[in-house]
Amino acid sequence: MTDRIDIGIDGGGSGCRVVVSTQGRAARATGGPANVVTDPAAAEAAIRAALLGALGQMSLSLDNMQSARVVAGLAGCRLPGTADAFAMRLPFLANVVDDSVTALEGAFDGDQGTLVNLGTGSFFIRRDARGITHHGGWGVQIGDEGSAAWLGREALRQLMWIEDGRAPHWSHDPLRQQIWRALDAHPVEFAANATPEAFGQLAPLVVASDGDWAHSLRSKVLREVVIAFEDIGHPDGAPWVMTGGLGAALVERTPDALPPGSRPAAGTALDGALAMARALP
């Protein structure tokens, strides 16, 4: 009888990660960007390379995949049809879901709770008796409220208020010059071609600054968290987890301003993908 193999995959624009588990042993490998929306072919190649690396550590190959249970949590797979289309590209059977689902699984080790992810983008996701409920995560062009990219874009929008004389109370705020020094072009020119990552690079300035303007901007992020909790049906005081670079910075900077019930993540999105694979029959 062939030994069972469980495989978890976590992928997004910054890279992909794979864990292979069998016979009480596990091997991990990383690969290149895996954006299944903008470049599915490159995503497939990156995942395949990382998977082969992890399999190789276990003296396994793609020939052993017929006994594997695979769950892949990939960014962008909430778009209709994206998960199924990408699963068809893979040379092995896999259950492909959005990475928010595997992140939730890992953060709560399968239990109920709300996950807030404030990275370059953002998403809010909750598991309770209703099942899984999503909020946001649609990209900074039309959403990603409270994310680093959203915060950087909001800072530039308000910077133009200051330059126009519409916010004179912030005209001498230290953040004003900090942002100007960080830009390589006029804010309008910068914003015209800025990626979410470029907008997001302004967020650490907002988090670190002690001025009233930065405090106001941070308050807007925290307000988006409260709004999302209301929309997603998060009960007051119920367990929730914050992840993402901006999220971690806010937890450190403004712990008392966050809603009660926060706790550390039990595991990562990759841990969640592996746990979901192990739960497959």
Side-chain angles (χ1 to χ4, degrees), residues 11-36:
S14 62
C16 62
R17 293 146 291 279
V18 174
V19 57
V20 175
S21 175
T22 185
Q23 296 182 310
R25 299 180 298 139
R28 296 171 182 258
T30 59
N35 191 319
V36 302

Side-chain angles (χ1 to χ4, degrees), residues 158 161-162 165-174 211-213 216:
Q158 294 189 11
W161 294 356
I162 298 172
R166 297 165 57 195
H169 48 293
W170 291 331
S171 61
H172 298 293
D173 193 280
D212 290 341
W213 181 28
S216 175

Side-chain angles (χ1 to χ4, degrees), residues 124 135 145 220-233:
F124 303 79
H135 175 103
E145 294 85 357
K220 288 180 69 69
V221 175
L222 297 173
R223 176 57 183 162
E224 291 300 330
V225 174
V226 172
I227 291 172
F229 275 6
E230 294 172 352
D231 290 347
I232 209 169

Side-chain angles (χ1 to χ4, degrees), residues 243-258:
T243 58
L246 177 59
L250 287 174
V251 167
E252 182 176 348
R253 187 75 161 87
T254 59
D256 296 335
L258 294 166

Side-chain angles (χ1 to χ4, degrees), residues 202-216:
L202 300 176
L205 299 178
V206 178
V207 173
S209 180
D210 291 321
D212 290 341
W213 181 28
H215 176 76
S216 175

Side-chain angles (χ1 to χ4, degrees), residues 145-166:
E145 294 85 357
S147 69
W150 178 91
L151 178 58
R153 190 182 64 180
E154 181 66 16
L156 287 184
R157 187 169 73 93
Q158 294 189 11
L159 178 62
M160 291 297 90
W161 294 356
I162 298 172
E163 302 310 314
D164 286 344
R166 297 165 57 195

